[in-house]
Amino acid sequence: MIRNIQIDGFKSIVSQSLELGRVNCFIGANGVGKSNVLEAIGVLGAAANGRVDDEALLRRGVRPGVPRLYKSSFESAHVPAHIGLSAQSESGAVYRVSLLNPLENPEPAWTFKTERLADLTDEIVSDGVRNRLNLTPTAGLAALKLVEVNSESAAALLMHRLQNFAIYSPNTPTLRAMVGDPQSRNPVGLAGGGLAEGFAEFRRSVLDHDDDLLDSVFELIDWVADIQTATSAGSLLSPSVARTKDVLRFTDRFMQKSRNTLTAYDASEGALYVLFCAILCLSPHAPRVFAIDNLDQALNPRLVGRLTAKLSAWLERSETKRQLVFTAHNPAVLDGLDLNDAEVRLFAVERNSDGHTVVRRIELTDELKTLSESYPLSRLWLMGNLGAVPNV
């Protein structure tokens, strides 16, 4: 797994080091820089794949922008000449990159100033200014060197995790297949446009072979008796409604059998968000490291708490040690986090007096344990005991 992420000079983040677990929740007020943390990892993933440009960033769910919007710009801090990003795995592999692009005359693709890829025994790409007479400065050298590296080495595994990283941001119209998904990344599309196709594969490859796992997903959707997919909606959808190749079919256990089948167009949006998260955590086709921005949107507080409680167990079932990074605003999310588990981590994101994004891990101190005996974490957050509340 990726254990450390270092971010320097990226958007509102002047310098931050993050120690990650299996499940990583970032909370804080609007505009403090939670999404910037996710996007910094997205830019690092693009660099690990050998090129940083708008296409590479969009594919990873990063909002593209001109260089002046990517680089830190504070009156109280010097604007850095480059953006510095790095990741280190639990096996000791390290990938570090510094990226350049002029503020006044931006190029289509960022250039690589320095790059380093190493594991405990080998220095695969060394730090230093690259010889531009021999190399294309917009092409990452580490990505090219991977063909010479054992695919099971710590360095290769770290790079593959970074290369496939994506930020998923589901929204209800796309989950309902009313609008198309701008990025059709496996297994469900970045916004959920491939939910039906993703669930069909997920059920075939995972759920139909594990009844307990099927129950753990379905128990979060109490009105559902079964969920299947079909290649035709038949009379379940109005002719005026857009249709995808596959259609989700929900069986409502309370309705008459002659009229108890719904599609994603009519089903509860909560059911769609639950399926979206479950597929990303459990599908063999999902990235090994991924992010969900605003995991809690459109979910009832009690449901989002129960969903959050399942995330770690779902991720742990994967043989690839999958990791999730997500942002949230609903306090109920915190009640689903078991902070006694060292792999479940909560981070408070705030702006300091200079406007810089500061990320602080919240751990169960003796004081917090005492308070939690009387109040749930959600209440403690609202009461201001955890910080990361809006100053309004």
Side-chain angles (χ1 to χ4, degrees):
M1 291 196 291
I2 296 174
R3 284 305 185 190
N4 176 268
I5 295 289
Q6 177 68 38
I7 307 168
D8 295 297
F10 182 80
K11 293 193 173 182
S12 61
I13 305 169
V14 174
S15 183
Q16 285 291 300
S17 180
L18 310 173
E19 297 294 330
L20 301 181
R22 181 184 302 110
V23 176
N24 306 275
C25 174
F26 290 79
I27 60 171
N30 296 98
V32 293
K34 299 186 298 298
S35 296
N36 292 348
V37 173
L38 309 188
E39 293 191 333
I41 304 174
V43 173
L44 181 59
N49 205 46
R51 188 173 177 84
V52 182
D53 58 15
D54 285 358
E55 181 179 354
L57 297 179
L58 283 169
R59 178 165 171 73
R60 288 165 176 78
V62 178
R63 297 164 293 184
V66 296
R68 65 175 64 253
L69 298 180
Y70 279 111
K71 293 182 181 179
S72 296
S73 178
F74 291 100
E75 292 183 358
S76 58
H78 175 68
V79 177
H82 61 268
I83 291 172
L85 303 166
S86 71
Q88 180 171 342
S89 73
E90 61 185 344
S91 302
V94 176
Y95 176 62
R96 180 183 301 126
V97 65
S98 59
L99 297 165
L100 289 166
N101 206 334
L103 292 178
E104 300 303 327
N105 298 294
E107 301 292 338
W110 292 76
T111 59
F112 290 72
K113 178 185 178 184
T114 64
E115 218 179 0
R116 179 174 184 250
L117 176 62
D119 58 25
L120 290 176
T121 58
D122 295 312
E123 190 86 7
I124 301 163
V125 176
S126 298
D127 249 336
V129 178
R130 308 176 66 193
N131 185 342
R132 296 187 180 183
L133 296 177
N134 300 321
L135 296 171
T136 304
T138 56
L141 180 59
L144 297 175
K145 281 284 188 179
L146 281 184
V147 298
E148 305 171 9
V149 178
N150 185 331
S151 61
E152 296 302 316
S153 70
L157 293 175
L158 171 62
M159 291 292 279
H160 292 152
R161 283 179 175 267
L162 290 171
Q163 288 172 346
N164 292 315
F165 174 83
I167 304 168
Y168 293 83
S169 302
N171 65 75
T172 301
T174 308
L175 289 167
R176 292 197 190 283
M178 297 166 60
V179 298
D181 198 314
Q183 293 293 325
S184 56
R185 282 284 301 266
N186 279 336
V188 288
L190 292 189
L195 183 63
E197 293 81 359
F199 180 77
E201 175 58 31
F202 175 52
R203 177 138 198 176
R204 282 193 300 269
S205 61
V206 179
L207 293 186
D208 285 345
H209 307 289
D210 192 330
D211 290 339
D212 291 339
L213 188 55
L214 180 67
D215 290 341
S216 77
V217 176
F218 280 19
E219 70 184 16
L220 294 178
I221 315 171
D222 60 353
W223 56 270
V224 162
D226 194 16
I227 306 173
Q228 297 285 347
T229 55
T231 55
S232 173
S235 60
L236 295 176
L237 279 174
S238 165
S240 62
V241 175
R243 303 178 185 221
T244 54
K245 178 183 176 182
D246 290 325
V247 177
L248 284 170
R249 297 169 69 97
F250 296 85
T251 302
D252 190 313
R253 65 189 182 94
F254 298 108
M255 297 170 65
Q256 296 179 11
K257 291 185 178 181
S258 60
R259 288 185 292 172
N260 67 345
T261 303
L262 306 170
T263 68
Y265 188 78
D266 296 299
S268 157
E269 62 182 351
L272 306 181
Y273 283 89
V274 166
L275 290 183
F276 183 91
C277 293
I279 293 169
L280 284 175
C281 289
L282 295 164
S283 170
H285 302 293
R288 294 183 180 185
V289 184
F290 65 96
I292 300 178
D293 206 7
N294 299 321
L295 175 137
D296 52 323
Q297 64 175 316
L299 294 177
N300 173 277
R302 186 168 184 179
L303 175 58
V304 78
R306 292 187 63 198
L307 171 64
T308 307
K310 288 184 177 291
L311 294 175
S312 183
W314 283 348
L315 292 166
E316 195 172 9
R317 294 179 69 105
S318 169
E319 296 180 357
T320 58
K321 294 186 178 180
R322 190 165 286 141
Q323 288 178 276
L324 166 62
V325 182
F326 71 93
T327 65
H329 296 92
N330 192 326
V333 167
L334 275 61
D335 297 334
L337 297 174
D338 179 10
L339 297 188
N340 289 302
D341 183 346
E343 292 295 344
V344 177
R345 303 187 181 185
L346 176 63
F347 298 88
V349 186
E350 300 173 288
R351 294 275 194 124
N352 65 15
S353 58
D354 292 319
H356 308 170
T357 291
V358 177
V359 183
R360 171 177 51 87
R361 183 180 172 189
I362 297 173
E363 299 185 77
L364 281 180
T365 61
D366 291 340
E367 180 183 2
L368 195 55
K369 286 180 180 178
T370 301
L371 288 171
S372 64
E373 292 174 0
S374 302
Y375 302 102
L377 281 177
S378 58
R379 182 70 181 275
L380 293 175
W381 185 19
L382 291 173
M383 291 165 60
N385 294 84
L386 306 182
V389 292
N391 184 24
V392 294

